[in-house]
Amino acid sequence: MSARLDVFATPSGGRLVKQFTSVGRLVVESPLPAATRELVSLRVSQINGCAVCIDMHTKEAAAAGESAVRLHLVAGWREATVFTEAERAALELAEEGTRVADGAGGVPDEVWERAVKHYDEEQLVALVTLIAFMNTANRLNVILRQPAGDYRPGRFS
C-alpha cells in the first residue's frame, strides 16, 4: 500500500504539516503525563482506525517503557485493572471526544467531571488539545491512506 499523496512534497503541504505538528510538540511539552499522552493517542487512533498512528504511538510508548500488557489492553481499558483512575478518566474523555457525532450533546458532564478530578487546568487544556489533534491527524492519515508498520521511535522528536 502506498499513500495517495505525499503532503511533504508540495510547498504548501510542507508548511501546513510543519504548523500542524508544532501543536503536537506543544502538547508534548505540556504537564500532561507522557504515559497518558501515549495511551490517549493510541485509543483515539484505534477508534478512528488509523494504522499509522497506532503503529507510531504503540512503538513510542513501548520505547518510553510502557508495558506490553497495558498497550494491549488500551482497547479494552474499561475492563482492565492496569490503568490508574486518572488514566481511565483521560481515556473516557478521549473516547467521548472522538465519538462526538455518536452522542447528542457532546461530552457528558459526568465524563468531564471525572477528568477534572485528576487533571489541573493546564493538563486539561493539553488533554483536550491532544484529543482534537489526534482526531485531525487520524483523519488526514486515513484519507491519504498512509501505510503503517515501518515507524521507528523518535522519528519526529
Side-chain angles (χ1 to χ4, degrees), residues 3-156:
R4 289 178 166 159
L5 174 69
D6 181 358
V7 177
F8 295 100
T10 67
S12 62
R15 287 191 307 274
L16 288 167
V17 169
K18 183 178 179 180
Q19 293 297 316
F20 180 70
T21 57
S22 68
V23 172
R25 279 192 292 280
L26 290 172
V27 172
V28 168
E29 295 167 2
S30 78
L32 188 65
T36 301
R37 285 195 318 267
E38 292 302 334
L39 295 172
V40 165
S41 296
L42 178 56
R43 185 64 190 126
V44 170
S45 299
Q46 289 171 336
I47 293 167
N48 290 325
C50 182
V52 71
C53 289
I54 293 168
D55 183 34
M56 176 189 306
H57 293 289
T58 301
K59 290 175 180 174
E60 287 290 351
E66 189 60 72
S67 75
V69 170
R70 284 171 39 98
L71 291 175
H72 292 304
L73 288 173
V74 167
W77 66 268
R78 290 178 191 275
E79 292 80 30
T81 60
V82 297
F83 302 105
T84 68
E85 287 303 312
E87 290 167 339
R88 297 169 70 72
L91 289 165
E92 183 178 33
L93 184 62
E95 285 189 1
E96 293 293 333
T98 298
R99 294 182 166 137
V100 171
D102 296 342
V107 175
D109 290 338
E110 53 274 8
V111 171
W112 180 255
E113 290 305 318
R114 280 190 281 279
V116 168
K117 286 180 186 176
H118 299 284
Y119 300 100
D120 64 27
E121 286 187 354
E122 286 293 320
Q123 292 171 319
L124 287 166
V125 167
L127 181 56
V128 170
T129 302
L130 174 61
I131 294 164
F133 176 83
M134 286 308 305
N135 274 284
T136 302
N138 291 166
R139 281 155 175 76
L140 288 168
N141 288 320
V142 169
I143 291 167
L144 297 177
R145 290 191 180 161
Q146 292 295 326
D150 63 351
Y151 180 81
R152 288 177 185 70
R155 180 174 171 194
F156 294 113

